[in-house]
Amino acid sequence: MDESKEKEENSFETVKQIFNDYLATHQHRKTPERYAILEQIYTHEGHFNAELLYNAMQKDYRVSLATIYNTLDLLLECKLIVKHQFGDQLAQYEKTFGTNIHHHLICTQCGKIKEFSDKNIKAAIQAKHFQTFQMSHYSLYIYGICSKCLKKKKKTS
Amino acid sequence: MDESKEKEENSFETVKQIFNDYLATHQHRKTPERYAILEQIYTHEGHFNAELLYNAMQKDYRVSLATIYNTLDLLLECKLIVKHQFGDQLAQYEKTFGTNIHHHLICTQCGKIKEFSDKNIKAAIQAKHFQTFQMSHYSLYIYGICSKCLKKKKKTS
DNA sequence: TTTGTTGCAAAACGTTTGCAGCCTC
DNA sequence: GAGGCTGCAAACGTTTTGCAACAAA
């Protein structure tokens, strides 16, 4: 418990530093809004989308949606977050630093998303080398039917 | 050459049959628009999106975008096509029948998408079994920088 | 002082929906 | 004949943009 919390705090300090360096080298301004958004993201668990982030931040800090999107783009560029476009239309994001690489199971019936890890899959992908392509990250989405929907289906048929 | 063309024609007859059966068992009507859209998809190469399909069809057949989307949903349900939501906002589709399973390389700089296959990756994914999830298909997106953009980057730095 | 960044509101975009008429079944 | 499907246009929801004010450099 203590260990994971400590790790989390350390990782926030680290990402702050990474973001700081990124803004400096790309001559972007260090605005309080940008750090506030980064903090909100890195001190909370799990997936999020722009609106969720916006709503969550209104309590402590007043930021516009435009600034949220602007900052998310910056964070994408310096690879502190990744973006997913699952079946539905609103984009989902997740942090990359201090998080294990994982894959996603997507239920085509109810849309529920579950994470999983598999070292064989991970190894197979990372072993792949491309002559004319410099890999930076990847997303694996596995579609199917979750146990809950499977039960429902059996009942009705 | 002849062989691949023959295969293509056979595969169109097969998918027509699959679609036909799907429509029948689900009590959907067999409208000429639906078959025309299926034909357009299966007699052309590569990825497509709703607008591209719409524009391509205007020459020979008058269909509305609403019908295109309606039919794409049906084809998704009977698994004759799959949908991809790459970085940009418009959804891409591709046919599944008579096509080898492949993965996607996505350039984060220019957005270009390239396909590739790897039997080790394929094997690792298909070997995975879930106790509480019934896998139907999957998508692997590898993000990075393509050779063209890599060259440009080197020049400017 | 300069100009990148902000909030706000309006616009843009792909996709969905409502509706009257059409055509499978 | 009933009602699912169509085209059309208007509506939707997320994301982007234009603009004046603000504040980091």
Side-chain angles (χ1 to χ4, degrees):
Chain A
M1 279 294 182
D2 286 337
E3 201 185 298
S4 84
K5 195 180 176 185
E6 199 178 303
K7 189 182 159 195
E8 207 171 82
E9 273 168 27
N10 283 344
S11 92
F12 177 55
E13 283 311 310
T14 313
V15 295
K16 204 167 158 184
Q17 193 57 51
I18 294 170
F19 193 36
N20 210 45
D21 291 350
Y22 172 80
L23 293 176
T25 56
H26 289 74
Q27 290 166 32
H28 289 137
R29 295 195 175 158
K30 294 168 186 170
T31 69
E33 287 84 0
R34 289 177 175 170
Y35 289 103
I37 292 169
L38 181 67
E39 181 162 8
Q40 174 71 29
I41 292 170
Y42 265 86
T43 54
H44 288 80
E45 282 299 310
H47 291 178
F48 61 94
N49 59 51
E51 209 192 327
L52 211 71
L53 189 55
Y54 175 76
N55 290 333
M57 293 198 68
Q58 297 310 302
K59 288 180 228 154
D60 314 317
Y61 206 100
R62 201 167 134 281
V63 216
S64 70
L65 255 177
T67 301
I68 299 260
Y69 279 108
N70 173 8
T71 305
L72 287 177
D73 280 344
L74 294 174
L75 292 173
L76 280 170
E77 258 181 68
C78 60
K79 302 205 167 70
L80 287 173
I81 57 173
V82 290
K83 186 177 179 178
H84 297 288
Q85 297 266 166
F86 298 125
D88 38 38
Q89 51 253 50
L90 70 169
Q92 300 267 101
Y93 300 85
E94 63 181 328
K95 39 183 185 285
T96 54
F97 201 89
T99 318
N100 287 328
I101 298 173
H102 55 258
H103 312 123
H104 293 90
L105 295 176
I106 304 164
C107 178
T108 52
Q109 212 89 48
C110 68
K112 210 180 72 181
I113 289 153
K114 209 170 155 184
E115 300 173 2
F116 79 99
S117 283
D118 183 279
K119 62 180 193 303
N120 292 329
I121 295 174
K122 226 180 275 188
I125 295 171
Q126 270 154 2
K128 181 77 185 168
H129 290 288
F130 303 95
Q131 294 204 324
T132 60
F133 192 86
Q134 196 176 73
M135 191 196 308
S136 79
H137 63 284
Y138 64 87
S139 294
L140 173 63
Y141 305 144
I142 297 187
Y143 297 91
I145 301 175
C146 75
S147 54
K148 213 182 243 175
C149 290
L150 214 55
K151 273 179 206 157
K152 267 187 217 157
K153 223 178 170 182
K154 274 179 190 163
K155 247 183 219 166
T156 54
S157 66
Chain B
M1 279 294 180
D2 286 337
E3 201 185 298
S4 85
K5 195 178 175 186
E6 199 177 302
K7 188 183 160 195
E8 206 171 84
E9 273 168 26
N10 283 344
S11 94
F12 176 57
E13 282 312 310
T14 314
V15 295
K16 203 166 156 183
Q17 193 57 50
I18 294 170
F19 194 36
N20 209 46
D21 291 351
Y22 172 79
L23 294 176
T25 55
H26 289 75
Q27 291 165 31
H28 291 138
R29 296 200 173 155
K30 294 168 186 171
T31 68
E33 288 83 1
R34 290 178 173 170
Y35 289 104
I37 292 169
L38 181 68
E39 180 161 10
Q40 174 71 28
I41 292 170
Y42 265 86
T43 54
H44 288 81
E45 280 299 310
H47 291 178
F48 61 93
N49 59 51
E51 209 192 327
L52 210 72
L53 189 56
Y54 175 76
N55 290 333
M57 292 198 68
Q58 297 311 302
K59 289 179 228 155
D60 314 316
Y61 206 99
R62 202 166 133 284
V63 214
S64 71
L65 257 176
T67 302
I68 299 259
Y69 280 108
N70 173 7
T71 306
L72 287 177
D73 281 344
L74 293 174
L75 292 173
L76 280 170
E77 258 181 70
C78 61
K79 300 205 168 69
L80 287 173
I81 58 173
V82 288
K83 185 178 181 177
H84 297 288
Q85 296 266 164
F86 298 126
D88 37 37
Q89 50 253 50
L90 71 169
Q92 300 266 101
Y93 300 84
E94 64 181 329
K95 41 183 184 283
T96 53
F97 200 89
T99 318
N100 287 327
I101 297 174
H102 55 258
H103 312 122
H104 293 90
L105 295 175
I106 303 164
C107 179
T108 52
Q109 212 88 50
C110 67
K112 210 179 74 181
I113 289 154
K114 210 171 154 183
E115 300 173 1
F116 79 98
S117 281
D118 183 280
K119 63 179 191 306
N120 292 328
I121 296 174
K122 225 180 278 187
I125 296 171
Q126 270 155 1
K128 182 77 184 168
H129 290 289
F130 302 95
Q131 295 203 324
T132 58
F133 191 87
Q134 196 177 74
M135 190 194 312
S136 79
H137 63 286
Y138 64 87
S139 294
L140 172 62
Y141 306 145
I142 297 189
Y143 297 90
I145 302 175
C146 74
S147 54
K148 213 181 240 176
C149 290
L150 216 54
K151 274 180 204 156
K152 267 187 217 158
K153 223 181 172 181
K154 275 179 188 163
K155 248 183 218 166
T156 54
S157 66

